[in-house]
Amino acid sequence: QGPMLRHRSLFWVLGGMAVNVALHPSKPGYAGYARARPAVSTAAAAAPYKMTPAAKPQPKTPMPVFVGSLEDWLRPEATSYQALHFPRSPSWPNYQMEIDRSLADFGPECQLERTIERQPGKDLGFKQAAEDLLRGIRLPEELLDVLRLDAEQLGKTLAMLCPWNKIFLLKLEIMGEHNCPRWHRDSYIGRGIISYNLSGTQYIAEEHVNIWELENCGNNDHILRDPSKVREIAVGDLFFIKGNGFPTGEKGLVHKSPPVQFHPDGFVKNRLVLKVDVPLQ
């Protein structure tokens, strides 16, 4: 299978967030990335992983996602949400061409993975695992630097959020035609995910989902009661999805991958994704 495939697709774009949102202008090289998303304070833009000393107030309308910094994710109130979201504007340009060209570096599975094991008195080693993962990957150094730092910061945060877990999986994937297009809930403890181009994970509150269809039917059109309630995480944002295996509080966010996108000539656009999985043990 070649690095890019010709394919037909109906590409659709969702509207913005319904509450507490601001429209972020596209950065140079990010044409089409502007969308309605939770507003980010000036302090958040200056510090890549912090927003404010206190947790960001949540909208009055019930939503399944907690919005806050990585520090805020560790606050007790975050247990009342099915997912945790840190909005962040990309500091890098659109490297679509470079990401498409790097596909061969990821092997036949289009994925690189390292297992990180928690050991008493020792550093978790997310930084070293990221270095090992990125060795030989032909991407711009600016993007590699972001990946290294994100892997370390997201990994350490999830290790604190899940202190009982001894194993974490650090993954770097190229997602093209093969992704997770069906609405679902994860069975493991959780997954941290960041998309570096194109678009991010889509999710929806359970009140807008036909749960029987979700658990018994493979047709996305039958699962959603109101497709207009679908929300999408933006490029660069840090997102943690609690699976059904998360031991406390709210869990089991209904989500899926965004629709596959295509170049004008019909070739698939590949999406670069960093994941930190917290598996069941």
Side-chain angles (χ1 to χ4, degrees):
Q1 182 177 344
M4 295 181 288
L5 301 174
R6 291 190 179 274
H7 207 62
R8 292 182 178 178
S9 172
L10 176 63
F11 175 60
W12 49 281
V13 181
L14 294 167
M17 295 288 286
V19 292
N20 191 26
V21 298
L23 187 62
H24 285 224
S26 296
K27 285 182 171 290
Y30 267 80
Y33 278 4
R35 69 166 61 90
R37 52 180 286 188
V40 183
S41 66
T42 303
Y49 301 103
K50 296 183 178 180
M51 290 179 98
T52 60
K56 185 177 179 64
Q58 300 300 299
K60 293 181 180 179
T61 304
M63 293 291 287
V65 175
F66 176 87
V67 180
S69 69
L70 295 188
E71 290 179 355
D72 293 334
W73 288 11
L74 304 176
R75 294 178 178 272
E77 55 265 38
T79 61
S80 301
Y81 296 83
Q82 295 176 330
L84 311 176
H85 178 201
F86 175 44
R88 180 185 63 169
S89 297
S91 61
W92 57 94
N94 185 0
Y95 284 122
Q96 184 64 56
M97 181 175 64
E98 290 83 355
I99 290 171
D100 285 339
R101 289 176 176 174
S102 71
L103 181 61
D105 298 337
F106 288 77
E109 300 297 323
C110 301
Q111 173 182 294
L112 302 174
E113 179 178 324
R114 292 293 183 275
T115 299
I116 297 169
E117 185 174 356
R118 191 195 300 268
Q119 298 182 3
K122 293 186 178 181
D123 180 78
L124 276 165
F126 279 101
K127 184 177 182 180
Q128 184 58 53
E131 289 287 352
D132 295 342
L133 208 63
L134 295 171
R135 191 172 293 118
I137 300 298
R138 291 169 290 183
L139 287 170
E141 193 60 36
E142 177 185 20
L143 185 54
L144 291 174
D145 287 342
V146 173
L147 287 163
R148 292 185 187 102
L149 188 57
D150 283 353
E152 182 179 16
Q153 295 297 323
L154 181 60
K156 286 183 175 180
T157 300
L158 298 188
M160 288 187 285
L161 188 67
C162 307
W164 62 85
N165 235 60
K166 295 182 179 180
I167 300 294
F168 300 88
L169 304 176
L170 180 64
K171 301 177 180 179
L172 190 63
E173 295 184 24
I174 292 287
M175 303 186 76
E177 189 177 38
H178 303 289
N179 54 21
C180 300
R182 185 183 181 275
W183 291 102
H184 65 284
R185 290 185 289 202
D186 295 330
S187 59
Y188 41 78
I189 292 174
R191 164 173 287 169
I193 186 168
I194 308 170
S195 179
Y196 294 90
N197 64 313
L198 293 177
S199 53
T201 301
Q202 295 180 342
Y203 69 90
I204 190 167
E206 281 188 14
E207 63 190 276
H208 306 302
V209 173
N210 184 319
I211 300 300
W212 189 93
E213 292 285 349
L214 177 72
E215 296 176 349
N216 296 278
C217 173
N219 191 330
N220 274 350
D221 293 337
H222 295 171
I223 292 173
L224 301 189
R225 299 186 189 276
D226 186 354
S228 71
K229 301 301 183 182
V230 174
R231 300 292 178 254
E232 183 173 287
I233 299 301
V235 169
D237 289 5
L238 286 73
F239 196 49
F240 178 64
I241 304 166
K242 296 180 184 178
N244 288 333
F246 202 87
T248 59
E250 293 294 320
K251 52 192 171 184
L253 181 73
V254 179
H255 66 284
K256 74 176 188 68
S257 297
V260 177
Q261 298 186 37
F262 299 86
H263 291 284
D265 59 5
F267 285 108
V268 171
K269 289 185 177 181
N270 294 291
R271 187 164 64 102
L272 179 65
V273 175
L274 178 72
K275 298 177 181 178
V276 179
D277 284 355
V278 188
L280 287 168
Q281 294 178 253

